Amino acid sequence: MRIEISANKLRSDFVKKVEEISGETLPSCYQCGKCSAGCPMSFAMDLLPNQIIRLVQLGQEDDIAKSKTIWTCASCLTCAVRCPRGVDLSKIMEALRLITLRKNTDYVEPSKIEGDTIVELPQIALVSSFRKFTA
Amino acid sequence: MERIGVFICHCKLMPSVDTEKVSEAVGKKPGVAYVAAYEDMCIAPGLEQIKDAIKSERLDGVLLTSCSPALHEEVFRHAITSAGLEGHQMAVVDIRSQNGIKETTQRAIEAIESAVERLQASLPTTTVRIPIEKRALVIGGGVAGIRAALDIADGGYEVILVEKTPSIGGHMIQLSETFPTLDCPQCIETPWMVECGQHPNINIMAYSEVESVSGEAGNFHVTIRRKASYVDWDKCTGCEECTKVCPVDWYAPFECGVATKTAIYKPFPQAIPNKAVIEKRGIAPCRAACPLHVNAQGYVALISKGRFAEALKLVREQNPFPGICGRVCTHPCESACKRGELDKPLAIRELKRVVADYEKEMDFDLSITAPEKEEKIAIIGAGPAGLMAAYELRKMGYKPTIFEALPFAGGMMRVGIPEYRLPRDIMDKEIGIIEKMGVEIRLNTTIGKEITLDDLRRDFKAIFIAIGTYVSAKLGVPGEELAGVVHGIDFLKKVNLGEKAKVGDRVAIVGGGNVAIDAARCAYRLGAKEVFIIYRRSRTEMPASPEEIEEAEREGVTIHYLATPVRILSDDGKVSGMECIKMMLGEPDESGRRRPIPIEGSEFTIDVDMVIPAIGQSPDLFDVGEIKLKRNNTFEVDPLTLQASEKGIFAGGDVVTGPNTVIDAMAAGRKAAISIDRYIKGEDLTIGREWEGSQESELEVSLEGIAKKDRVVVPTLSLEEREKNFAEVEMCLGEEAAVDEASRCLSCPGCCECLTCETACEVKAIDHSMVDKFEEVDVGAIVVATGYDLLPKREIEEFEQDPDIIDGLQFERILCPSGPTNGVVLRPSDSSEPKEVVFVSCVGSRDPEHGLPYCSRVCCMYLVKMAMLYKHAVHDGHAYIFYMDIRTTGKGYEEFVQRAVEEDNVLYLRGRVSKVFRDGDKIMVWGADTLTGKKVEISADLVVLATCMIASPGAKELASKLGIATDEYGFMAEIHPKLRPLESTVPGIYLAGTAQGPKDIPDSVAQASGAASKALELFSQDELLLERTAT
Amino acid sequence: MNLSYYPGCTLKTKSKNLEDSAIASMAALGIDLVELPRWNCCGTVYSLADDDLVHHLAPIRNLIRAKEEGSNKVVTLCSFCYNIMKRANLLIKNDAEKRNTLNSFMDEEEDYEGEVEVVHLLEILRDEIGWEGIAEKVKLPLYGLKVAPYYGCTLLRPQEAAIDSVERPTILKQLIQATGAEAVDFPFTTECCGSFQIVSNPDFVLDRAWNILSSALRWGAEALVLSCPLCDFNLGQRQKELGKKYREFKEIPILYFTQLLALSLGLDPEVCRFELNYVDPRPLLESKGLLRH
């Protein structure tokens, strides 16, 4: 497939928003892949963490929206502590989630969780899940 | 100066300055006679114009405003001096660095005005002619240092080549094959090394370091430290007879932790100088901790090579009782053993017993080399303290007499320690040696009965009291006087001296020391059905040896911790039981141990028919008159000399310390002997005695990369075999087991000073007393070629420390055909052939967050080379390289990589590695392949990390001695990175090779020749012309 | 000695075993954990968005409560609570602009500038009492028990909030050794359990639990010790499922570090509330002779 790279895409509102919310310097990532190599949830991801940040660098908002990766992230921060360039990928993941969530789209729907599950789970599971995945 | 000319450059690179305004302002300054603006002052036409102006305007001072003086000052100076002016009549002022700042014109005016004043204030100079010392110093004997030395030497000048390791060759000589030609570095470098060694102009100072430097270009004065190699190189022929007999294995840096060398060694066969060196870093912790300073490291090393007789001889140099101590010593050496920080300490005591048993027929050296002495010395007590004192004094030539109250010699060794721990024949034989040497032991002689202390004072020059402690401490509870209560030491005496000792069916021993445990285990053997030990603190506080406690438990002894007796119950005058109370641990008391506090209401009773209190002992002392005693009837003595309060009377062992160990008593015996000898000679008793007794060694040992290995398990008699007899429980280790256990030794200091090399050396070249020497040299130029090191793997924490996770140099040694495995690829942990090898690029490099930000330049190439060599060696192996980029900038490099990929099937995976750890037999590597977007996990047999190239250790210190700058990473700084990469920040000191930054061999060699040419340039002048202020 | 103590919601319900054993063992060590009044939910996860301030209010509020009590230190037990409060505290200390905005927003609260230090109980054990101090008070050394330390994420990441080395922590190992048990190192000791994915993707968590627990078992662990109620759930409660999915899986009890501590200090096992553990550790402890009746 082809993608368009142009000043429009590279300095789009999407990219600027990611930079603003995350506070990270996107060009610092030199795509070494160490984040993907150590990510504990990567086994369940369609796109790898380093691919996500690459797509952001290239302004490809749609590809990211189609992927489930940012919703599979557990915010464990392994990527952040190991990145040789000091890029905090977990913040970029959060920014990407927030761009969707702030449009009032939830990833997790609290009302659809079964009663049994709610009783079983410790509160911190529910609170953190809702904080990460709901508007 | 009256007539200064100001020349303003306004080339395109200069900031825009209103030259008219400047001319006007500056022209008004007193002393300024001429102002002109030129374009491009620094090129020939511009310079000509300046020269013309000097002449036509009769200028006596010149001020040039331009860019930085560092760029063109030389050129300008040349021009004005050729126009007849002198150096101090010129100045350059930089107005270009203000580029971009507002009001350039105003600033230019200000700068020029103050420069004019400075110029007017400048003092005349004269040219001083300094003769140049035409000799070069090259620091570092790697390939760069060697090339530089050869070039300068071939140019006709003397070179001193200083190298801190024992041989020149550097890291290159450690490598397997070099990329891209796959040359064997030993083959291509050794001809140069030999040339260096034979060149009439080159003086190689190996195993040496630069100590201090003063002076400047043309005249440096250098002090060089020639490190003690403990081998006289004038005599040494490099025959290596010594290495054949050295028993020590240590991890020599040359083998990078992959293999060991002997403590006396030649680094590699083609070493230049081809001489042996002894690695000796101090005293081993075990040897220092032993109260007798038995050379524990030495005998363990000899045992590891199966040389039992030599080992025993070494033990006997310091300890006449190896058979005894090898069974009962409390082994302070093992507590100090550094191996204990990794897994478990060496079983040093067991090993001593092994050689004592295996070589028990070996004659003891009874010779006395000291001249016989007249003075008579009395020793009271034939225990370990007394016997040792007698032995030491006899060796000094005296003839001491021992007075022993019992019918046997041996003291607590005979009375206290039961036969199943210390067989009588072993003890008799070793004690017998003392008598064979000529010491008289008068048995059945009690002081105060058969002979008095006054008799001894009269007939003997000095007296050593070592009577031990044989009076049992009382429990102080009701019922203690009953017939079934036998105190510990009295009980053991009966048992061990062969008298009839009866035990009840249910015996309770009170106490937690070795006497208590010995009594318990004797009771078990004498047929008691139940044996209890009641101890008032917890197991961790029990003073008895842990091994003894464990054996007692195995034999069925029940230990009640945190309990103490309250009363002994009787039935019909016989012991029927013991009431005890439970304790809990409170605050520590004066001994530092936690005070036991009874728990109210927790009394309990045990049914026993015999009680053996073993809670402490004190001396059974004769009348000592005024001699000072402490509480408990122990002697008060000077701890350094063992002198008691009466001159000429000394005391040591348990009679001073209270119940203690055999080895401490023996140490006291030796101390007393030294004191008595000095006393008799009238010498000072106190000087130079700090080393006596157990010491702590300050040696630091690295445990990195050493695989754990279990300590040997000592075979013992089975419980059935032990029942009702006193046969020795612990069995001697087999030969193989002993050698195996001894091989666990880390050889902490390197050389153990067993001195076998001295005997083996046919030219008597070995001198263990050598010290570092210093040499002073005068040189005119210095080339710094100190090379590199690799970032330690432990710095990158997400990669585990494991013997099979190695770095580049380690794998080079494994691949090297003349290396420790002869080029057979075996992995360090189990010497198996690895079939899956993963190579990891950029470990600690290109990593601003956790490591170093720069690229280490050579790793891409050496990893692929290693992968290729690995595949050539292991045809069915697989090689994987994780990379970010493949940097192949040299000639033939790109082609080399393609060959590896196409012909040798090396697989490149594009991604960095996040974690490397061991899982069972395999090393797991978590990486990624960003090209396919997959996380990659490889189960490898061996992992090679390309760790970042860093400055060699000691580079910073050397730079500071030379006065040259290093960059932020510790590499030597060049004065200009683009134009002058071979010159340090100090004239006359040049840089070559990886000391200046990571690079490969071709670049290092090229730089070396370049640095050499700089030195030759310096030497091509007859004198240095320097401008100095004329005074 | 008194220490301000922030429990967090889960400790009052599902993880009462963590709280009870903590309070009892600290009391035995001479420290009274005094619960903060009017504490609120910490918020669990620290907001990773630079433009988000509202999610910092919850943790900061708790710190203000501590400040009001006159405490200069507040101790947490739950790793999640520790992480969010520590990071929020760092934000307040280091970012003047955000500090001002937050303080002005919380106009009914005292101004807060980072005066209170946030510590995890393990830090108190290591730094204030010391491992030797603990070993001295151990009455029932847990000889023969092989325990694997498990840290999860929030105790050690990011670096500025870590209570120990990010890649090579030893604090739990030292605690285990101080209690007399044997610490079993295993490579997954700092690998994430899946965290809140348990709500949206419980199968992923099952996978994580399998990786972590099977590794611990392979390295010889008989029990796992940790500090986070979510890790406890993810690794503990999911073991039934694991047993169904992988035949070779052996159940492994999971203890809170304070339960281990309480047991070794000779306290009544009742305070440990073992009945709340997802995998009952009592059979294992019994077999080692470590359950005093």
Side-chain angles (χ1 to χ4, degrees):
Chain A
M1 72 200 85
R2 275 198 319 201
I3 58 171
E4 180 206 321
I5 309 269
S6 63
N8 277 344
K9 283 273 187 188
L10 296 179
R11 295 312 303 156
S12 65
D13 285 338
F14 166 69
V15 175
K16 288 198 201 128
K17 201 89 201 129
V18 174
E19 281 179 340
E20 189 191 312
I21 300 179
S22 71
E24 292 297 303
T25 312
L26 295 170
S28 290
C29 167
Y30 58 10
Q31 287 292 299
C32 73
K34 192 155 176 168
C35 48
S36 305
C39 173
M41 303 305 290
S42 58
F43 70 94
M45 292 174 174
D46 42 18
L47 288 175
L48 284 187
N50 75 280
Q51 292 180 309
I52 293 287
I53 186 175
R54 186 61 177 159
L55 289 168
V56 180
Q57 284 177 333
L58 299 179
Q60 305 299 312
E61 184 176 2
D62 294 330
D63 282 333
I64 296 174
K66 285 188 218 141
S67 151
K68 293 209 283 294
T69 294
I70 61 176
W71 308 106
T72 316
C73 167
S75 291
C76 77
L77 266 60
T78 304
C79 52
V81 299
R82 293 208 183 133
C83 175
R85 304 280 303 170
V87 174
D88 191 337
L89 185 57
S90 64
K91 294 182 82 175
I92 295 173
M93 289 284 174
E94 185 102 326
L96 291 167
R97 287 191 291 264
L98 286 170
I99 285 174
T100 301
L101 293 174
R102 287 180 185 177
K103 295 184 192 143
N104 260 321
T105 315
D106 291 341
Y107 175 73
V108 160
E109 184 51 64
S111 60
K112 295 229 173 72
I113 303 179
E114 285 189 27
D116 286 342
T117 316
I118 296 191
V119 164
E120 207 180 45
L121 289 171
Q123 293 97 307
I124 48 176
L126 294 165
V127 175
S128 52
S129 177
F130 297 159
R131 260 200 157 184
K132 286 284 177 186
F133 296 144
T134 67
Chain B
M1 288 163 209
E2 311 279 298
R3 300 193 58 73
I4 295 177
V6 179
F7 299 89
I8 306 169
C9 176
H10 63 95
C11 75
K12 293 221 174 64
L13 299 169
M14 294 298 285
S16 48
V17 155
D18 185 340
T19 43
E20 279 203 30
K21 257 206 172 131
V22 174
S23 302
E24 202 194 307
V26 167
K28 292 202 193 105
K29 195 119 174 92
V32 175
Y34 178 72
V35 184
Y38 294 141
E39 258 192 68
D40 304 315
M41 280 193 329
C42 55
I43 57 174
L47 295 169
E48 284 306 312
Q49 286 174 316
I50 294 173
K51 278 156 59 172
D52 289 340
I54 292 173
K55 293 199 182 98
S56 63
E57 299 293 325
R58 293 170 294 112
L59 299 174
D60 61 4
V62 168
L63 179 67
L64 302 138
T65 77
S66 65
C67 48
S68 164
L71 292 171
H72 295 306
E73 184 172 17
E74 287 296 308
V75 160
F76 291 143
R77 191 177 293 277
H78 200 73
I80 68 121
T81 46
S82 72
L85 293 180
E86 287 182 23
H88 74 280
Q89 290 172 294
M90 178 203 99
V92 178
V93 59
D94 177 355
I95 57 172
R96 179 169 151 195
S97 358
Q98 302 164 96
N99 225 344
I101 301 173
K102 296 189 204 135
E103 301 165 8
T104 40
T105 305
Q106 186 49 37
R107 285 189 184 256
I109 294 171
E110 286 167 14
I112 292 169
E113 285 181 341
S114 57
V116 165
E117 285 169 30
R118 277 200 321 271
L119 184 59
Q120 286 169 324
S122 76
L123 297 168
T125 58
T126 55
T127 306
V128 173
R129 293 166 180 280
I130 316 249
I132 300 175
E133 190 67 56
K134 296 190 188 185
R135 183 185 299 111
L137 172 68
V138 176
I139 309 177
V143 69
I146 290 171
R147 186 71 250 150
L150 284 170
D151 281 1
I152 298 172
D154 285 343
Y157 300 99
E158 243 181 271
V159 178
I160 295 170
L161 178 56
V162 169
E163 164 55 44
K164 72 178 178 194
T165 67
S167 165
I168 57 175
H171 282 304
M172 184 173 164
I173 205 84
Q174 293 173 296
L175 307 179
S176 53
E177 286 172 29
T178 55
F179 57 80
T181 48
L182 295 183
D183 280 310
C184 139
Q186 291 80 23
C187 307
I188 59 176
E189 201 188 3
T190 44
W192 284 7
M193 287 164 60
V194 171
E195 222 192 305
C196 263
Q198 296 179 341
H199 204 296
N201 280 346
I202 300 180
N203 177 7
I204 300 178
M205 291 192 186
Y207 213 47
S208 304
E209 289 188 56
V210 168
E211 185 74 11
S212 64
V213 180
S214 61
E216 45 183 33
N219 291 281
F220 292 107
H221 185 77
V222 184
T223 307
I224 297 170
R225 176 190 289 267
R226 310 298 307 269
K227 300 193 290 200
S229 57
Y230 307 103
V231 176
D232 184 347
W233 282 359
D234 288 331
K235 295 192 187 138
C236 176
T237 60
C239 70
E240 292 199 90
E241 283 303 305
C242 50
T243 52
K244 292 194 192 129
V245 300
C246 177
V248 174
D249 288 324
W250 71 292
Y251 283 102
F254 188 80
E255 298 296 356
C256 304
V258 166
T260 56
K261 284 210 152 350
T262 47
I264 186 167
Y265 69 105
K266 225 168 55 171
F268 50 93
Q270 309 95 335
I272 306 265
N274 206 269
K275 308 280 179 191
V277 148
I278 299 182
E279 170 80 6
K280 189 155 66 151
R281 278 173 270 129
I283 306 280
C286 49
R287 188 174 167 198
C290 174
L292 290 181
H293 297 313
V294 174
N295 192 342
Q297 187 211 347
Y299 77 73
V300 168
L302 287 163
I303 292 172
S304 75
K305 298 288 178 271
R307 289 150 65 174
F308 290 4
E310 287 174 71
L312 182 59
K313 188 151 168 280
L314 193 61
V315 175
R316 282 179 175 169
E317 280 179 23
Q318 299 297 337
N319 185 341
F321 300 149
I324 296 172
C325 292
R327 286 166 165 79
V328 305
C329 186
T330 48
H331 48 72
C333 51
E334 292 186 21
S335 309
C337 175
K338 291 274 182 202
R339 183 101 201 187
E341 288 169 29
L342 177 67
D343 37 49
K344 292 249 159 58
L346 274 263
I348 305 176
R349 181 186 80 189
E350 294 311 318
L351 292 171
K352 177 145 74 267
R353 182 254 175 94
V354 164
V355 295
D357 281 9
Y358 268 85
E359 301 292 344
K360 58 163 146 291
E361 302 312 318
M362 195 170 108
D363 277 331
F364 195 98
D365 180 9
L366 299 168
S367 60
I368 316 258
T369 49
E372 294 288 329
K373 297 196 173 51
E374 294 279 300
E375 293 85 349
K376 298 208 293 174
I377 300 161
I379 295 172
I380 313 177
L387 289 167
M388 187 67 180
Y391 169 75
E392 296 283 358
L393 286 165
R394 186 72 197 100
K395 282 208 307 199
M396 292 177 198
Y398 295 100
K399 270 203 149 83
T401 310
I402 304 181
F403 296 90
E404 168 55 50
L406 287 175
F408 306 94
M412 271 302 268
M413 297 190 293
R414 171 127 13 219
V415 172
I417 302 180
E419 233 187 302
Y420 60 80
R421 279 178 71 198
L422 181 56
R424 301 295 114 153
D425 56 342
I426 307 276
M427 184 169 47
D428 286 337
K429 181 158 182 215
E430 295 197 332
I431 294 176
I433 289 165
I434 312 291
E435 287 180 290
K436 280 213 191 86
M437 285 171 77
V439 172
E440 188 196 344
I441 304 181
R442 282 198 223 165
L443 300 168
N444 295 309
T445 311
T446 311
I447 310 301
K449 281 214 202 112
E450 284 82 10
I451 192 166
T452 67
L453 190 58
D454 279 330
D455 292 332
L456 297 179
R457 282 186 178 107
R458 185 193 60 224
D459 295 334
F460 293 87
K461 245 351 203 149
I463 303 172
F464 177 49
I465 304 177
I467 59 169
T469 49
Y470 288 90
V471 175
S472 282
K474 301 280 180 281
L475 286 172
V477 301
E480 198 163 2
E481 344 63 47
L482 290 165
V485 179
V486 183
H487 287 81
I489 204 68
D490 302 321
F491 172 69
L492 285 177
K493 200 165 158 184
K494 276 212 176 88
V495 177
N496 293 326
L497 295 188
E499 295 164 28
K500 272 277 200 200
K502 266 193 337 197
V503 295
D505 284 338
R506 301 169 61 82
V507 183
I509 291 108
V510 185
N514 279 324
V515 170
I517 303 284
D518 285 340
R521 294 179 73 190
C522 283
Y524 159 78
R525 281 162 174 75
L526 290 171
K529 297 207 178 56
E530 295 244 24
V531 181
F532 304 97
I533 291 181
I534 316 290
Y535 177 56
R536 62 190 182 136
R537 290 188 170 91
S538 81
R539 194 192 179 108
T540 28
E541 283 98 8
M542 248 181 145
S545 309
E547 306 96 74
E548 286 298 304
I549 304 173
E550 276 168 37
E551 287 302 320
E553 285 178 317
R554 267 186 80 188
E555 287 168 4
V557 173
T558 310
I559 308 181
H560 289 290
Y561 296 100
L562 295 163
T564 207
V566 175
R567 78 184 84 253
I568 302 174
L569 309 165
S570 72
D571 181 18
D572 202 18
K574 297 206 187 86
V575 173
S576 65
M578 192 160 79
E579 190 183 300
C580 307
I581 189 168
K582 289 203 183 144
M583 314 291 271
M584 61 182 186
L585 295 176
E587 293 305 306
D589 65 14
E590 336 64 73
S591 74
R593 293 187 300 165
R594 296 178 60 188
R595 190 193 307 276
I597 301 170
I599 302 176
E600 278 197 33
S602 68
E603 285 86 346
F604 64 100
T605 307
I606 47 172
D607 290 324
V608 293
D609 53 12
M610 181 178 186
V611 176
I612 304 180
I615 57 169
Q617 289 130 242
S618 58
D620 185 7
L621 206 46
F622 44 81
D623 181 9
V624 297
E626 299 294 307
I627 304 180
K628 286 216 182 79
L629 300 173
K630 303 199 294 283
R631 61 183 176 92
N632 272 4
N633 262 358
T634 51
F635 278 89
E636 198 175 293
V637 298
D638 176 340
L640 191 61
T641 62
L642 296 185
Q643 167 79 63
S645 61
E646 180 181 319
K647 272 197 130 18
I649 297 194
F650 300 82
D654 288 2
V655 80
V656 167
T657 59
N660 207 340
T661 62
V662 165
I663 194 76
D664 286 306
M666 287 172 74
R670 171 179 290 169
K671 193 182 259 296
I674 296 174
S675 292
I676 289 173
D677 176 49
R678 290 189 186 193
Y679 169 74
I680 289 177
K681 288 188 189 144
E683 288 170 7
D684 183 305
L685 292 183
T686 58
I687 298 177
R689 302 193 69 171
E690 306 78 27
W691 182 244
E692 282 173 32
S694 189
Q695 307 288 335
E696 225 180 280
S697 165
E698 284 168 356
L699 214 48
E700 303 236 347
V701 178
S702 164
L703 299 169
E704 230 178 283
I706 301 180
K708 289 195 187 182
K709 189 170 164 193
D710 284 328
R711 176 179 155 127
V712 71
V713 174
V714 179
T716 53
L717 287 185
S718 70
L719 285 177
E720 296 80 52
E721 289 168 317
R722 295 184 208 189
E723 234 173 274
K724 298 222 171 59
N725 65 55
F726 282 73
E728 191 178 2
V729 170
E730 275 188 14
M731 302 197 282
C732 189
L733 288 180
E735 229 181 282
E736 222 183 280
V739 169
D740 211 30
E741 174 65 10
S743 312
R744 285 175 63 230
C745 178
L746 299 175
S747 308
C748 302
C751 171
C752 64
E753 289 184 327
C754 66
L755 304 181
T756 19
C757 52
E758 249 182 40
T759 326
C761 179
E762 286 163 27
V763 296
K764 300 282 161 258
I766 296 175
D767 178 8
H768 277 278
S769 66
M770 255 174 111
V771 290
D772 290 356
K773 290 208 208 26
F774 296 90
E775 262 186 61
E776 317 235 330
V777 297
D778 289 313
V779 299
I782 301 178
V783 175
V784 179
T786 46
Y788 68 93
D789 198 4
L790 291 181
L791 185 72
K793 296 172 292 206
R794 78 184 100 91
E795 296 288 318
I796 308 301
E797 297 192 331
E798 52 268 29
F799 299 156
E800 244 176 46
Q801 289 187 266
D802 186 281
D804 292 334
I805 301 174
I806 59 179
D807 65 23
L809 280 173
Q810 291 181 300
F811 202 40
E812 294 282 359
R813 293 311 297 151
I814 294 174
L815 288 167
C816 184
S818 58
T821 59
N822 292 320
V824 176
V825 181
L826 299 173
R827 70 175 190 173
S829 65
D830 57 7
S831 298
S832 65
E833 187 179 65
K835 297 290 189 203
E836 308 274 318
V837 181
V838 172
F839 298 87
V840 182
S841 309
C842 303
V843 177
S845 55
R846 299 184 63 187
D847 190 344
E849 260 324 273
H850 314 102
L852 297 151
Y854 56 86
C855 167
S856 178
R857 202 155 154 183
V858 291
C859 320
C860 287
M861 285 310 296
Y862 76 63
L863 281 187
V864 71
K865 171 206 73 183
M866 286 194 234
M868 207 194 252
L869 293 176
Y870 163 71
K871 290 286 302 202
H872 293 174
V874 181
H875 297 298
D876 58 343
H878 296 99
Y880 312 95
I881 305 183
F882 281 99
Y883 74 101
M884 283 207 281
D885 300 295
I886 309 177
R887 297 187 164 178
T888 53
T889 49
K891 278 197 178 178
Y893 290 8
E894 178 67 20
E895 300 89 308
F896 187 78
V897 169
Q898 288 311 317
R899 185 177 139 196
V901 170
E902 287 164 15
E903 290 176 30
D904 296 304
N905 291 312
V906 172
L907 180 63
Y908 272 97
L909 294 159
R910 204 257 161 209
R912 254 180 126 131
V913 166
S914 183
K915 192 161 158 160
V916 179
F917 58 95
R918 176 174 285 275
D919 201 354
D921 220 15
K922 296 287 199 180
I923 311 286
M924 302 304 294
V925 179
W926 286 2
D929 181 55
T930 57
L931 299 178
T932 49
K934 301 269 186 254
K935 181 172 165 173
V936 171
E937 279 180 29
I938 302 186
S939 215
D941 297 314
L942 181 66
V943 173
V944 182
L945 305 176
T947 43
C948 188
M949 227 189 215
I950 58 176
S952 93
K956 246 192 145 98
E957 290 74 21
L958 177 67
S960 123
K961 284 179 190 163
L962 292 167
I964 62 177
T966 50
D967 65 19
E968 65 206 290
Y969 307 117
F971 290 106
M972 303 299 173
E974 52 290 283
I975 193 163
H976 192 282
K978 301 284 293 180
L979 297 180
R980 297 165 72 180
L982 300 179
E983 297 164 68
S984 75
T985 46
V986 169
I989 302 183
Y990 310 109
L991 310 173
T994 47
Q996 182 256 352
K999 60 179 66 75
D1000 53 25
I1001 293 170
D1003 285 353
S1004 294
V1005 171
Q1007 279 197 340
S1009 291
S1013 83
K1014 293 262 162 232
L1016 291 171
E1017 187 192 312
L1018 184 60
F1019 295 165
S1020 69
Q1021 301 162 65
D1022 286 317
E1023 293 164 319
L1024 269 184
L1025 303 176
L1026 298 174
E1027 267 188 72
R1028 293 275 135 89
T1029 317
T1031 34
Chain C
M1 180 166 115
N2 282 355
L3 270 182
S4 269
Y5 156 58
Y6 173 81
C9 39
T10 317
L11 260 68
K12 292 297 188 187
T13 54
K14 290 271 185 311
S15 303
K16 205 79 181 72
N17 44 1
L18 174 53
E19 181 175 64
D20 286 355
S21 54
I23 294 180
S25 42
M26 292 316 285
L29 292 171
I31 296 186
D32 240 338
L33 293 178
V34 178
E35 196 171 312
L36 282 181
R38 291 174 54 216
W39 56 265
N40 49 258
C41 168
C42 63
T44 66
V45 281
Y46 183 73
S47 171
L48 297 171
D50 264 10
D51 63 352
D52 178 359
L53 288 181
V54 75
H55 287 107
H56 297 310
L57 295 174
I60 301 288
R61 263 239 172 83
N62 289 315
L63 295 171
I64 297 177
R65 296 283 89 78
K67 181 178 168 187
E68 283 168 353
E69 293 301 299
S71 311
N72 61 357
K73 202 180 277 197
V74 68
V75 144
T76 61
L77 294 174
C78 162
S79 310
F80 255 85
C81 303
Y82 167 73
N83 191 282
I84 186 175
M85 282 171 55
K86 177 90 182 186
R87 295 179 76 181
N89 209 23
L90 285 169
L91 179 84
I92 284 279
K93 284 192 210 180
N94 298 333
D95 191 327
E97 204 183 313
K98 290 194 174 156
R99 175 168 70 235
N100 287 338
T101 314
L102 285 165
N103 276 322
S104 342
F105 180 81
M106 294 189 286
D107 49 5
E108 285 170 34
E109 302 277 8
E110 236 183 272
D111 270 0
Y112 181 73
E113 312 220 322
E115 297 95 326
V116 180
E117 202 193 322
V118 177
V119 290
H120 187 272
L121 189 62
L122 282 168
E123 294 181 277
I124 299 287
L125 292 173
R126 177 189 62 198
D127 302 330
E128 311 252 343
I129 304 178
W131 305 124
E132 287 186 5
I134 292 174
E136 270 171 27
K137 298 263 167 82
V138 163
K139 297 237 176 65
L140 177 65
L142 306 177
Y143 293 139
L145 187 62
K146 297 202 178 110
V147 188
Y150 176 73
Y151 297 86
C153 311
T154 43
L155 284 180
L156 300 174
R157 296 188 277 268
Q159 173 117 43
E160 51 275 18
I163 63 171
D164 198 355
S165 155
V166 171
E167 300 287 355
R168 298 206 184 134
T170 54
I171 194 170
L172 272 178
K173 176 175 176 164
Q174 288 173 306
L175 174 64
I176 293 170
Q177 288 171 339
T179 64
E182 188 187 320
V184 175
D185 279 322
F186 74 113
F188 282 61
T189 189
T190 58
E191 294 289 317
C192 178
C193 68
S195 191
F196 44 77
Q197 290 291 341
I198 186 68
V199 176
S200 38
N201 292 302
D203 287 332
F204 295 170
V205 171
L206 201 65
D207 214 277
R208 295 304 305 152
W210 166 246
N211 279 338
I212 294 166
L213 296 172
S214 58
S215 173
L217 284 166
R218 257 201 318 278
W219 282 79
E222 293 169 328
L224 209 76
V225 90
L226 43 69
S227 168
C228 170
L230 189 47
C231 296
D232 187 30
F233 183 85
N234 284 356
L235 296 177
Q237 198 269 358
R238 305 252 78 203
Q239 288 195 28
K240 291 193 194 50
E241 301 269 329
L242 280 179
K244 287 186 210 149
K245 190 165 174 195
Y246 301 94
R247 222 161 300 138
E248 65 271 37
F249 180 73
K250 222 176 45 141
E251 279 198 358
I252 172 172
I254 307 208
L255 292 139
Y256 283 111
F257 70 98
T258 46
Q259 290 178 312
L260 206 71
L261 181 61
L263 207 60
S264 72
L265 292 173
L267 302 179
D268 190 331
E270 287 299 307
V271 309
C272 295
R273 307 292 304 272
F274 284 129
E275 71 275 11
L276 292 176
N277 287 40
Y278 293 106
V279 178
D280 195 344
R282 284 172 292 190
L284 172 68
L285 296 170
E286 187 80 60
S287 72
K288 303 273 173 179
L290 298 173
L291 269 188
R292 267 180 46 209
H293 291 288

